[in-house]
Amino acid sequence: MKFTDGFWHTRPRVDARYAQEAYDLDAAPDGRSLVVSAPTKVIASRGDTLNRTLLTITLSSPLEGVIAVRVDHHTGARRSQGFELVGAVDGGVGEVSIDETGGTLTSGPLTARVTAGSPWSLEFLEDGKPITTSGAKSIALVQLEDGAPVTTEPAGVAGVTTTGLAAPGSYVHAQLSLGVGELVYGLGERFGPFVKNGQTIDIWNADGGTSSEQSYKNVPFYLTNRGYGVLVNHPEHVSFEVGTEAVERVQFSVAGESLEYLVFAGPTPKDVLERYTALTGRPAQVPAWSYGLWLSTSFTTQYDEGTINSFIDGMAERQLPLSVFHFDCFWMREFNWTDFEWDARVFPDPEGMLARLHERDLKVSAWINPYIGQRSKLFAEAADAGYLVRRSDGAVWQWDMWQAGMGLVDFTNPDATAWFQDKIRTLVGQGVDAIKTDFGERIPTDVVWHDGSDPQVMHNWYAQLYNAAVFEALQESSGIGEAVLFARSATVGGQQQPVHWGGDNSSSYESMAETLRGGLSLAASGFGYWSHDIGGFEGNPDPAVFKRWLAFGLMSSHSRLHGSSSYRVPWAFDEGDEAPGQSAVDVARRFTNLKLRLMPYLYEVGLEAASRGIPFMRPMQLEFPGDPAVDHLDRQYLLGEHLLVAPVFSEAGDVQYFLPSGTWTDLLTDEVATGPVWRTERHDFASLPLWVREGAVLVTGSRDDRPDYDYTDAPLVTVYPGAEGSSRVRVSDPTGGEAIEFSVERSASGAVVTGPTGIAFTARLAGAAAVEATAGVAKLTR
């Protein structure tokens, strides 16, 4: 939201009152917070204190290396509830110091320093080095008169302005400096340019597809290449101007009388994400089976148990390993969604059908949303019990977009949440293993919530309550580490309930690329796992698009074949029409087998996401901070620390990508390349750039038919080029056995790989033949 007309003036009917000086500074009684009085005029005489706006600015620290700044106009006004900071330390951890020059609050390596007097100056330092500042005209109370020509409010549903001017009233904004060459990433799953500089971004969940500036997953957190992060602690609408209101600053504003933001220390982007997820919640561990290939009924296609069995039989006949079968919306009867009842016209024996799928060693996923159509018998049950969101006159809120006359489950009502969770438990009892929690973005603001929550806050926060309720029910039913969602909407904290997918994309290379940008932005926003519809959701992909997307999708954390109006079984595209190894079936088999062989490595990457909050799929900037060559890269990424992936976005197979400094080895061919180097290549459908980083020790598994096997059973340990010295690599057993470790000692002549006693394994130097271990040791020579 823009309030100014250029650098010097405010826009008409906009009254901006800026913090002009730190008039006085006080420590809270416990010494954990610094309180600053910041009048909106430099106080030269006692008369200047009259008829004056005073901003109270409070600095505190909820966790080491994190400093919160709260700006209050009227401290008695209603404040935003903020997000659930699950990792906050009671009482805070900051240390305050005040002298004649000003005051500081220090938390671990991070210090906030307020200079006494004018002009207003708040500086953030990490280990004594400045990282960002809040200078003159950076903090303001802004009053808008009716018709003030600021930017539009975000699009939404009933109760939200879709076009026009922002509502009159009070707003608070803050700005933080952007240094020379400083770039901003994150702010949720955004499908436009990965670097956010120059963008206006509204934090407001919307069902806008991947080809718009709207987002299903809005997260008011950003990360910069200067090695710090910022969270604006408001679930309601936040407007960001990233170098657009003031080109030297990031501005964020909210409606009301107060604003709070938190600064996270690094020094690396990974360190920032560790701190951020320690405070807002770490991703849950997901089951090993979820990493395998998911196949869907698709959305509006016709299907019954016979259709489903033909798909599963076809996959088996073609030796395409399948782990999960997904039932999309029409497992329930039309107009009834979501009533949790299988459509008896096509699924007369759901429990028997699901048991038969389990007998085929498949997991089952089922679609739901948080809406209930009025044709469903559950509508009257929920309405009578007070489980649906209501209008101010007491009537149930309803509309006809999506399901006719649908109502919205009120998850602020504990009884409604328990009721909804019981329905999930019933599904699990029938044989459902995973839930696709669709929608959750179209949340009205002209309603009354059971607990009295602010409707503006609930618009974004609803997604968190919805997904948390379903995830909790799955965990209770299946156990910790076995629950998994396929969620579309989210906000801060949503990373705790994996997995999320990228929403409705289209079947094109352009949409494939925008989908990747969305995933990279979400990863930079603290989300550990992410997926997308292989081939695109809307439309029917031509064979080339589908095959290129297969490679990309199977080199993502989670891999799902799903579409809108057409089936996504690989043989529906070009089976038998291509050169050997180039059909969609061949490509699907090759990359599914590859992913399953990589499971010992990938599973550890997932465990790191759960334990540290470092995402599974990593923007290049996370792994190579300080390298300006990677700052703008958004068509390649890393899976974990060691695997670089560059999807191919063209039918001919032309791709250009960058290998940073070091020795790289092609996983598929053992070719060695030395970076930094830009490479331009052409790949057939059975290939894509997939490189192993210098120093890696990659453990691959003995099976390529399933993701959930004992990774410690006869693994292959491959030692890639790296400096002489020692390293260790951990291998888990998701079937319940103990994890093991291999130690590697590199020397000029080769390497020695030592494993646990009694564990059979082979080892090799990249590019050489494998050597079978003897007595737990494999000696590798160049």
Side-chain angles (χ1 to χ4, degrees), residues 56-261:
T56 301
I57 300 173
T58 305
L59 281 66
S60 60
S61 175
L63 190 69
E64 183 178 297
V66 183
I67 290 179
V69 179
R70 192 179 71 238
V71 181
D72 288 303
H73 174 217
H74 290 154
T75 58
R78 184 174 182 176
R79 291 176 179 163
S80 171
Q81 68 182 39
F83 294 106
E84 292 181 351
L85 305 182
V86 296
V89 176
D90 289 343
V93 297
E95 296 182 3
V96 174
S97 175
I98 299 174
D99 59 24
E100 66 279 1
T101 65
T104 62
L105 178 78
T106 298
S107 176
L110 187 62
T111 295
R113 181 169 63 200
V114 179
T115 302
S118 65
W120 169 258
S121 176
L122 167 59
E123 186 177 28
F124 294 91
L125 307 99
E126 184 172 340
D127 293 327
K129 178 183 177 181
I131 53 174
T132 191
T133 61
S134 165
K137 296 180 69 175
S138 65
I139 293 177
L141 172 73
V142 182
Q143 298 284 351
L144 302 187
E145 298 177 16
D146 193 13
V150 297
T151 54
T152 58
E153 290 226 309
V157 297
V160 180
T161 303
T162 55
T163 59
L165 305 177
S170 296
Y171 292 77
V172 180
H173 85 56
Q175 297 175 340
L176 291 173
S177 63
L178 283 172
V180 175
E182 185 172 1
L183 302 176
V184 172
Y185 310 101
L187 295 173
E189 182 189 49
R190 317 211 77 85
F191 304 102
F194 180 50
V195 174
K196 301 303 181 285
N197 297 51
Q199 297 183 46
T200 296
I201 293 174
D202 286 306
I203 301 298
W204 191 257
N205 284 1
D207 177 10
T210 67
S211 297
S212 77
E213 64 181 5
Q214 296 178 2
S215 173
Y216 304 99
K217 308 171 190 64
N218 284 269
V219 179
F221 169 80
Y222 68 84
L223 183 66
T224 91
N225 62 348
R226 290 280 291 273
Y228 68 92
V230 176
L231 168 67
V232 180
N233 192 22
H234 289 261
E236 65 269 33
H237 173 225
V238 182
S239 178
F240 280 87
E241 300 289 343
V242 187
T244 47
E245 176 94 71
V247 297
E248 301 169 357
R249 297 175 177 177
V250 176
Q251 174 178 291
F252 31 92
S253 58
V254 297
E257 303 285 339
S258 65
L259 179 149
E260 182 175 69
Y261 68 90

Side-chain angles (χ1 to χ4, degrees), residues 390-413:
R390 295 185 178 271
R391 299 186 184 275
S392 58
D393 64 0
V396 172
W397 178 87
Q398 291 179 264
W399 72 344
D400 293 332
M401 290 186 67
W402 191 237
Q403 292 292 280
M406 73 181 197
L408 177 66
V409 176
D410 187 345
F411 289 107
T412 72
N413 181 343

Side-chain angles (χ1 to χ4, degrees), residues 319 335 445 455 546 599 655 734 743:
Q319 296 180 304
F335 294 118
T445 56
F546 183 70
M599 278 305 301
V655 58
S743 64

Side-chain angles (χ1 to χ4, degrees), residues 366-394:
W367 177 97
I368 66 167
N369 66 192
Y371 314 127
I372 301 178
Q374 70 179 18
R375 186 185 183 282
S376 163
K377 67 182 181 181
L378 287 192
F379 182 90
E381 178 184 332
D384 291 344
Y387 295 164
L388 300 179
V389 175
R390 295 185 178 271
R391 299 186 184 275
S392 58
D393 64 0

Side-chain angles (χ1 to χ4, degrees), residues 757-781:
T757 302
I759 297 293
F761 70 94
T762 54
R764 73 179 188 113
L765 294 174
V771 174
E772 189 171 339
T774 301
V777 177
K779 297 180 179 179
L780 312 177
T781 57

